[in-house]
Structures are given as structure tokens and as C-alpha cells.
Amino acid sequence: MKKRRKICYCNTALLLMILLAGCTGSKDEEAHQPSAVQTDEKHTETEDSTKIRKDEAEPITESEESATKAANETSSAEEKSKEDNVLAAYSSEKIEYARVWLQLGPNQEIDELNVRHISAGEPINPNDDTSASYPEDVTQLAGSRLVDGSVTYHGNGDGTIHVYNVPLRWDSDDVEKDVMREVTENIIKNRKTVYVDTGDNEKIKRLIDIMMIH
């Protein structure tokens, strides 16, 4: 009997030790494993931080772009205003003469820009009675020398001009008198409509400064 009791006591003690070891292992595993609630909280905090940083960055980027755009617009407006001021002291007629010569003048290296107005009804070739007459008022631009060439045109008031291919000087040997009518009528028929560019203001100013209106 004593022997059996001893064996029972041993078995009971062994069973208690196994149960205690199992409980201790479970507690250790629980201690080392992060809880699902903690993981979710950290993940939520990370997303919130990323969203906050993104939200904070976007207004700064838009603000910088707006500031750059505004600075560029201001700079462009100042440059345009400066260019316009270069011609502010001159009449629109003088600016037109200079622009036409700058675009169509055969020679840009001139010492003088002469401006002459010719009324409608005046002969295209003033040296020939059989010449056809201008159907509209025209302006003739020419340098101080014959080699500078000329431009004869009528301003339409809409940024375009009618250009007449008229020589600066008519030589008697160029056209026979009996065909002058036909030649000058063809000049009228073949006039061209040209759009006048605004051109470079500094070059326009130089031409106005050497302009002589007759």
C-alpha cells in the first residue's frame, strides 16, 4: 500500500509540472506576439501621418507655382510697358511709316527716311499725261539715295496696307509713252495687301529719329 501511494504521488507531481510548463509557454508566446489591436493602431497612425504630410505639402507646391507664375507675368508686363514707353512720344502715323519701312524697305541702312503723301487722283507717273491715277491716297517712303529704293502704299487702318509697285523715278527710256496707260493700270490691278508687323521698337525709334516728312 505504501508503495502504491508513493507511485500516485509521483504521478500527480509530474502532471502538475507538465501543466505548469504549458501555462508558462503560453504566457511567453503571448508576451512576444504583438496584439492585433496594437498593429492596427500603428498602421492607422502611419496612414494618418502620411496623409498629413501629403496635405501639408500640396498647398506649398501650389503656392510656389502661383508665386512663380505671378512673378513671370509681372516681369512680362514690365518689359512690355518699357517697350511701349519707347514709342510713347511719337504719333501713330510716324510709327506706321517706320514699321512699313522696317518690313518692306529695300535698304535698312539709310541715313534719312523721307515721307511724301500723294492724294487720290494724282497720276502714278507724274511725268506722263497718259498715266493712270491713284485710286486712293498713298504714302511714299524713300531713302536719301536712289539706291535705297522706295515703298508706296495705302494704309487701310486695320493693320494691313495696299502696296503699289511704283518705281521711285521714272526714266523716259523705261516705258514708251503710248503704253504708259496700260503699265500704270497694271500697277493698280496688281497691288498687294500686306499685314504690317509691329517690329522692333528700338529699330522703329531709330527710323523715326531720321524721318523727314514733306
Side-chain angles (χ1 to χ4, degrees):
M1 288 295 291
K2 289 181 180 180
K3 196 176 209 177
R4 288 181 179 177
R5 287 178 181 176
K6 187 176 180 180
I7 291 172
C8 289
Y9 291 152
C10 290
N11 290 336
T12 301
L14 181 61
L15 182 60
L16 289 172
M17 289 175 66
I18 292 172
L19 291 174
L20 289 171
C23 292
T24 303
S26 297
K27 290 180 179 179
D28 290 339
E29 288 178 1
E30 289 178 359
H32 284 87
Q33 284 185 340
S35 66
V37 175
Q38 290 176 340
T39 302
D40 291 339
E41 287 178 355
K42 290 182 179 179
H43 182 67
T44 303
E45 289 176 0
T46 302
E47 288 183 346
D48 291 342
S49 299
T50 302
K51 184 177 180 181
I52 291 171
R53 286 196 298 270
K54 184 178 179 182
D55 291 340
E56 290 176 350
E58 287 178 351
I60 294 174
T61 302
E62 292 176 358
S63 177
E64 289 176 350
E65 290 179 353
S66 298
T68 302
K69 184 178 180 180
N72 291 337
E73 290 177 352
T74 301
S75 178
S76 299
E78 289 177 351
E79 289 178 2
K80 187 178 184 303
S81 178
K82 184 178 179 181
E83 290 179 358
D84 292 341
N85 288 336
V86 172
L87 304 178
Y90 303 106
S91 67
S92 58
E93 289 81 6
K94 288 184 176 182
I95 294 173
E96 177 187 280
Y97 305 149
R99 283 175 175 168
V100 171
W101 186 265
L102 186 63
Q103 183 173 337
L104 301 175
N107 181 22
Q108 296 298 316
E109 300 300 324
I110 57 176
D111 299 325
E112 187 175 281
L113 179 59
N114 293 285
V115 181
R116 187 167 71 93
H117 297 105
I118 303 173
S119 300
E122 291 191 28
I124 295 177
N125 182 357
N127 301 322
D128 195 317
D129 296 337
T130 63
S131 169
S133 301
Y134 287 106
E136 55 192 353
D137 296 339
V138 298
T139 300
Q140 187 180 71
L141 308 176
S144 58
R145 303 168 299 172
L146 188 62
V147 293
D148 292 333
S150 65
V151 179
T152 303
Y153 75 96
H154 168 79
N156 296 319
D158 59 357
T160 66
I161 59 175
H162 290 154
V163 181
Y164 294 82
N165 187 21
V166 179
L168 181 60
R169 180 183 298 174
W170 292 88
D171 292 331
S172 58
D173 294 335
D174 288 345
V175 181
E176 296 180 4
K177 287 183 178 287
D178 56 348
V179 295
M180 179 60 69
R181 184 78 184 182
E182 181 181 353
V183 170
T184 50
E185 284 180 347
N186 284 334
I187 290 175
I188 297 172
K189 291 178 182 178
N190 295 323
R191 70 183 183 184
K192 296 180 179 179
T193 301
V194 177
Y195 177 81
V196 180
D197 297 329
T198 55
D200 183 278
N201 285 353
E202 291 295 337
K203 293 180 179 179
I204 291 171
K205 181 181 181 302
R206 187 189 75 83
L207 289 171
I208 293 175
D209 290 341
I210 60 172
M211 192 175 291
M212 298 291 293
I213 300 178
H214 302 280

